[in-house]
Amino acid sequence: MLKIISSIKIESSNLKYCLYAFRFYTVTFKKDMESKPEVPNITNNEQTITEGRATITTLGNVFYNPVQEFNRDLSISVINVFSKERSNSPKLEFGIKNENGIRILEALSATGLRSIRYAKEICGIKEIVANDISKIAVAAMRNNIKDNRVDELVTASENDAVMLMYEHRLKEKQFDVIDLDPYGCPSRFLDAAVQAVSDGGLLLVTATDMAVLAGNSPETCYSKYGAISLRTKCCYEMALRILLQCIESHANRYGRYIEPVLSLSADFYIRVFVKIYSGAHKCKFSTSKLSMVYQCNGCETFTLSPLGTVKTSDNKQVKFKLPTGPPLNSQCEHCQHSHLLGGPIWSAPIHDPNFVQKVITETPEHLNTARRIQGVLNVVYEELIDCPLYFVLERLSGILHVTTPPMMEFRSAILNAGYQVSFSHSRKTSIKTDAPAKVIWDILRCWEQRHPLSDRRRSEQGAGNNILAVKSEKEYSFDSHPNANPPSRRDGFVRFQENPLPYWGPGTRSTTMVGDVKMEKSKRNQGKRKRESAE
């Protein structure tokens, strides 16, 4: 390099600048070579894992979360039911290729465990594509597929998940089932996913960014999901409904719409199972399935305002109309506080009871979490499907500063008043009911008459005392109602999530992705501002 430069005739005034440039590029090249990460030694960090009927070996830092076994077991149960509905074959077998069976894409496969389990534990499968963008993950996947002898059913794919789904938009290439289980927010995959699912196909979506969905960052929730989240005690169900409206909005752009068959809040994530259909006319009903949510700043009472209404005339002609509004006054009718506005959320049913009943009946007994699946789905089956969101009993009592009524007595009071009530699977002390909020507060006013507030509490200013200042319109009975104790509770099912296990939480993002260099850069930049300010 020096000989080349010296052989070139350069004016003396520019020579020093050329030498400076040469020195700069050589130093930069040296640093780049020194900072280039070495190829990880994937043989030093091996782990053998057995789950269900699959045994795999993880290599390097390929992502695996043992807490998600419930997620994988439930997915197997749901897809089994779907496969039996979808297939034309009278008899379906496990682990054997069925030419009339379903095609499945696991877009973010990592170890390949889920796809291998699908191949071994789901009947009526034609093909499974296990995809990941990481070379290390795909290498491990291929070995695991071979070791589990499912080569005929499972194909490993090294591709960007979004591009792969876009390549399967044509009808003859679409998948019957697409499983999206990303780390964090799934919204960047949805546009491609809703196009790559066949008509009537099943889309499975997981979201683990619960802080965003639960109202900690409403502006971030809007940028990711197209909806404003609220900090409310029914945030888990609201998170499900925000995700469902996000999937619906992506599907509507292509003349498609969704029908949720099962929606779950479990552990640290939410998981929805929806069928995707095509039909431009049906998409017109979407506005009537979405609502804005008004939540009182004081008593936290919520009111839903639909984005659209559907009217059917005497001659059965359907008309789509805009709702009149606003649906409530500027001040809450119960406590005179102002309102917050959130949404839009999916306000139509989030489960299909008939489908849920099939999953309960046909859940394989060999699954490690079969007992929990049976318990949770029995609660889901009992949920009131036309009553979006729920109250939380201890929060209602806390607003009024009264002692919390026993759950069975409170449920009995609602039933004795002629209304329906159920639990929500997402909260142990939830009150899901078709009773108006006024009735709920009247019942608590009657409870306060039996368990009066102290003089000190009576003298305080706040939403609770504003509610108690109004007399209940009638007396409500807390006598035991025969339907107050639901079958799932009476029969001793494992209805709600168990205590946290080791490795609790969504885990850490896999470091085997293409962004390994980015991860190294992130480590180098930690504390950079403090170091610069100290200098």
Side-chain angles (χ1 to χ4, degrees), residues 8-202:
I8 299 174
K9 295 183 180 180
I10 304 175
E11 294 182 8
S12 59
S13 60
N14 295 329
L15 180 59
K16 62 178 180 180
Y17 297 110
C18 292
L19 293 174
Y20 288 154
F22 173 76
R23 183 181 300 173
F24 171 79
Y25 286 114
T26 53
V27 170
T28 303
F29 178 74
K30 183 178 180 182
K31 286 184 177 181
D32 288 342
M33 292 301 294
E34 291 174 350
S35 62
K36 186 177 180 180
E38 296 180 0
V39 178
N41 184 1
I42 62 174
T43 60
N44 294 335
N45 191 18
E46 293 187 2
Q47 182 184 5
T48 301
I49 298 164
T50 299
E51 184 181 292
R53 293 176 177 168
T55 299
I56 65 165
T57 301
T58 62
L59 301 176
N61 294 316
V62 175
F63 186 80
Y64 168 74
N65 192 344
V67 178
Q68 290 278 46
E69 183 175 3
F70 172 74
N71 183 322
R72 291 183 282 269
D73 286 355
L74 178 63
S75 300
I76 287 169
S77 300
V78 170
I79 299 175
N80 256 320
V81 171
F82 173 79
S83 177
K84 291 175 183 178
E85 290 181 347
R86 189 84 163 176
S87 179
N88 297 322
S89 300
K91 186 178 180 181
L92 302 178
E93 298 183 31
F94 298 93
I96 298 177
K97 188 170 185 175
N98 188 319
E99 291 299 333
N100 296 319
I102 60 174
R103 297 176 65 243
I104 301 175
L105 167 65
E106 188 192 358
L108 307 160
S109 192
T111 61
L113 173 62
R114 189 183 295 255
S115 291
I116 292 170
R117 290 196 61 192
Y118 284 177
K120 289 193 165 190
E121 301 174 50
I122 295 176
C123 59
I125 290 180
K126 179 180 180 180
E127 179 189 12
I128 299 173
V129 177
N131 178 73
D132 204 281
I133 199 171
S134 166
K135 292 183 178 180
I136 297 176
V138 174
M141 202 188 305
R142 289 195 176 104
N143 292 332
N144 290 327
I145 291 170
K146 185 178 180 181
D147 292 343
N148 284 270
R149 299 178 181 177
V150 290
D151 313 60
E152 189 181 17
L153 290 174
V154 185
T155 302
S157 166
E158 183 188 331
N159 209 331
D160 177 85
V162 173
M163 295 306 299
L164 179 62
M165 288 187 285
Y166 276 137
E167 290 171 0
H168 287 77
R169 289 175 295 173
L170 296 178
K171 186 176 180 180
E172 58 272 15
K173 291 185 176 182
Q174 290 174 332
F175 295 96
D176 298 293
V177 178
I178 292 182
D179 192 337
L180 294 175
D181 191 9
Y183 182 95
C185 176
S187 60
R188 64 186 181 276
F189 302 103
L190 296 180
D191 186 80
V194 296
Q195 298 181 71
V197 179
S198 59
D199 193 26
L202 189 66

Side-chain angles (χ1 to χ4, degrees), residues 244-507:
L244 288 172
Q245 74 80 29
C246 185
I247 301 173
E248 174 79 348
S249 68
H250 281 88
N252 286 168
R253 296 166 195 171
Y254 304 100
R256 315 196 83 183
Y257 62 96
I258 69 170
E259 286 188 4
V261 295
L262 177 61
S263 307
L264 280 183
S265 169
D267 304 330
F268 52 85
Y269 61 90
I270 56 174
R271 177 82 158 163
V272 298
F273 304 80
V274 301
K275 291 182 179 179
I276 306 287
Y277 292 96
S278 299
H281 177 70
K282 288 285 187 179
C283 291
K284 295 182 179 182
F285 290 85
S286 292
T287 54
S288 62
K289 301 175 185 177
L290 304 173
S291 298
M292 303 301 292
V293 182
Y294 291 85
Q295 179 181 273
C296 174
N297 253 324
C299 64
E300 300 178 10
T301 301
F302 54 83
T303 303
L304 270 64
S305 177
L307 299 186
T309 58
V310 179
K311 302 289 184 181
T312 305
S313 59
D314 295 336
N315 60 357
K316 296 184 179 180
Q317 184 177 1
V318 176
K319 292 185 178 180
F320 303 94
K321 296 186 176 182
L322 294 176
T324 57
L328 68 177
N329 296 325
S330 59
Q331 289 185 324
C332 174
E333 62 176 309
H334 309 291
C335 70
Q336 289 75 57
H337 282 66
S338 59
H339 293 90
L340 297 173
L341 179 61
I345 66 169
W346 177 269
S347 51
I350 61 175
H351 313 296
D352 178 353
N354 295 328
F355 189 91
V356 172
Q357 183 61 53
K358 291 179 183 178
V359 178
I360 293 172
T361 304
E362 300 183 25
T363 296
E365 295 181 356
H366 75 274
L367 301 177
N368 289 336
T369 63
R371 185 165 169 262
R372 183 182 174 190
I373 291 174
Q374 291 284 339
V376 172
L377 293 190
N378 270 279
V379 179
V380 167
Y381 182 73
E382 294 167 353
E383 284 186 16
L384 298 175
I385 62 172
D386 293 322
C387 299
L389 307 182
Y390 55 83
F391 298 99
V392 175
L393 184 55
E394 67 268 21
R395 182 55 185 161
L396 293 172
S397 304
I399 290 169
L400 301 184
H401 302 296
V402 299
T403 57
T404 304
M407 177 60 77
M408 292 302 104
E409 290 188 35
F410 194 81
R411 287 169 60 95
S412 293
I414 295 174
L415 292 167
N416 290 332
Y419 298 99
Q420 295 178 295
V421 65
S422 75
F423 286 104
S424 167
H425 74 278
S426 57
R427 186 103 184 195
K428 192 173 184 179
T429 55
S430 55
I431 301 290
K432 184 180 279 290
T433 179
D434 59 350
K438 188 180 186 306
V439 172
I440 299 298
W441 292 123
D442 272 355
I443 291 173
L444 285 167
R445 290 183 184 109
C446 293
W447 178 260
E448 192 274 335
Q449 292 296 317
R450 298 185 180 192
H451 305 82
L453 288 181
S454 64
D455 293 338
R456 182 179 67 83
R457 284 295 190 188
R458 277 287 184 186
S459 63
E460 294 178 352
Q461 298 295 321
N465 280 343
N466 290 347
I467 293 173
L468 292 175
V470 179
K471 188 177 180 180
S472 175
E473 289 186 354
K474 68 174 188 177
E475 286 295 319
Y476 289 87
S477 171
F478 291 89
D479 295 340
S480 179
H481 192 281
N483 296 328
N485 193 15
S488 62
R489 183 177 184 272
R490 186 175 60 244
D491 297 341
F493 284 106
V494 181
R495 300 179 299 144
F496 302 100
Q497 64 185 52
E498 300 166 346
N499 290 331
L501 303 172
Y503 314 108
W504 186 255

